[in-house]
Amino acid sequence: MTGHAPATRAFSDRAPGLPALPHAEWIKLRTMRSTMITVAAALVLGLGVGLMDVLSVTGHWATMSASDRAQFDPVGDSLSGFQFAELALGALGVLAISTEYSTGMIRTTLTATPHRSRVYTAKALTLGAFALLISQVLAFTAFLLGQLVLHRRHLNASLTDGHALRAVACAGLYMAVVAMAGFGLGALLRHTAAAISAMFALVFLTYPIARAFEGSTYLPDHLTPINAATRLATLDPPTGPHAARIPSLGFALFDLALYLAVFVGAGAWRARRDA
């Protein structure tokens, strides 16, 4: 009994601790080919779609109806590409963990660090920090490019105008949360195609499902990612016949916290349950 205890302690001492694990996970993340591909796709979609949107507005402003002009949002239109960029970032989240399971490299990781909760936490922290950085850079760049175009017709806004800073920052936060939801799904399902399909369903299919309940309640609408994103990334609450579908700002922020807790938590449960 006394002969085994020192050996066990020595192995535990050699196992990487939590402070060292994020560095190892960062090396994995930045050297994955899929990381660069998905980030590039997010930038192209996020910036390109938003730029085309504001170019269309400036090109047709003279012929736009009064109601269309009244509904124009210089911030929201500049950020319109983020609802496409989020899919690329969600795929990044899935691939950040599912690739290790599909290739079998997770066994090597767990052999080096048998503490599964530590490994999962390090992966989540590393991806979360990277996704948040990329998402915020994307959101603020899209906003600035949009304002440069809108300035030609004096339609531009400033970050100091109203809730502009909040809208831009929340758009970036939302994209990062989608990436983490993808991460949780990747850890839970451990199959890249299945997890990406589930992530797409979360973003897009929940919207028509929620509309089926509108005859009795708008709560499912308020819980859908697309409606939460609409409120977070715009200056003012929407108006019109479909405004009831959009949650309040506080509820939309609650949605983000809920997605993080549910999907990252589900991935953590699976990570602790088995290898």
Side-chain angles (χ1 to χ4, degrees):
M1 184 181 299
T2 57
H4 290 290
T8 302
R9 287 196 298 270
F11 179 80
S12 298
D13 292 340
R14 288 194 301 270
L18 185 57
L21 282 173
H23 177 67
E25 293 301 329
W26 166 240
I27 293 174
K28 292 179 191 177
L29 183 64
R30 69 179 174 83
T31 54
M32 286 172 51
R33 181 183 299 177
S34 58
T35 298
M36 295 301 103
I37 293 174
T38 51
V39 169
L43 292 173
V44 170
L45 291 170
L47 299 180
V49 173
L51 197 56
M52 288 190 291
D53 195 334
V54 293
L55 283 170
S56 176
V57 169
T58 57
H60 296 87
W61 185 258
T63 58
M64 288 174 61
S65 65
S67 61
D68 287 339
R69 289 188 180 189
Q71 293 177 8
F72 168 68
D73 185 331
V75 177
D77 282 43
S78 298
L79 299 173
S80 58
F82 86 98
Q83 296 212 37
F84 297 92
E86 67 180 311
L87 299 178
L89 291 171
L92 169 65
V94 170
L95 292 165
I97 192 166
S98 67
T99 301
E100 281 200 75
Y101 283 101
S102 62
T103 60
M105 286 299 295
I106 191 65
R107 297 187 186 92
T108 303
T109 300
L110 293 177
T111 299
T113 310
H115 303 280
R116 297 172 188 171
S117 294
R118 288 186 182 181
V119 172
Y120 184 83
T121 300
K123 288 181 180 294
L125 290 174
T126 303
L127 175 67
F130 179 68
L132 184 60
L133 174 63
I134 294 297
S135 298
Q136 293 295 350
V137 169
L138 173 57
F140 279 92
T141 303
F143 170 79
L144 293 174
L145 286 176
Q147 303 322 300
L148 286 175
V149 174
L150 293 171
H151 180 70
R152 295 186 302 177
R153 286 192 173 271
H154 306 289
L155 300 172
N156 56 300
S158 169
L159 283 175
T160 59
D161 293 344
H163 302 288
L165 180 59
R166 182 267 303 161
V168 178
C170 282
L173 179 62
Y174 172 79
M175 288 187 284
V177 169
V178 172
M180 295 309 298
F183 174 78
L185 287 167
L188 179 66
L189 301 177
R190 300 184 179 179
H191 187 280
T192 300
I196 289 179
S197 297
M199 186 269 297
F200 273 55
L202 170 68
V203 173
F204 287 123
L205 295 186
T206 51
Y207 178 74
I209 292 173
R211 291 192 60 181
F213 294 92
E214 288 180 357
S216 56
T217 177
Y218 281 101
L219 179 60
D221 285 294
H222 293 174
L223 291 169
T224 60
I226 288 180
N227 287 335
T230 298
R231 181 64 190 95
L232 290 170
T234 52
L235 291 177
D236 301 305
T239 57
H242 304 305
R245 294 175 181 162
I246 308 301
S248 65
L249 180 61
F251 202 104
L253 290 171
F254 166 76
D255 286 341
L256 298 192
L258 181 64
Y259 301 147
L260 275 177
V262 170
F263 293 104
V264 177
W269 168 80
R270 182 71 192 276
R272 290 195 302 267
R273 184 170 177 267
D274 57 25

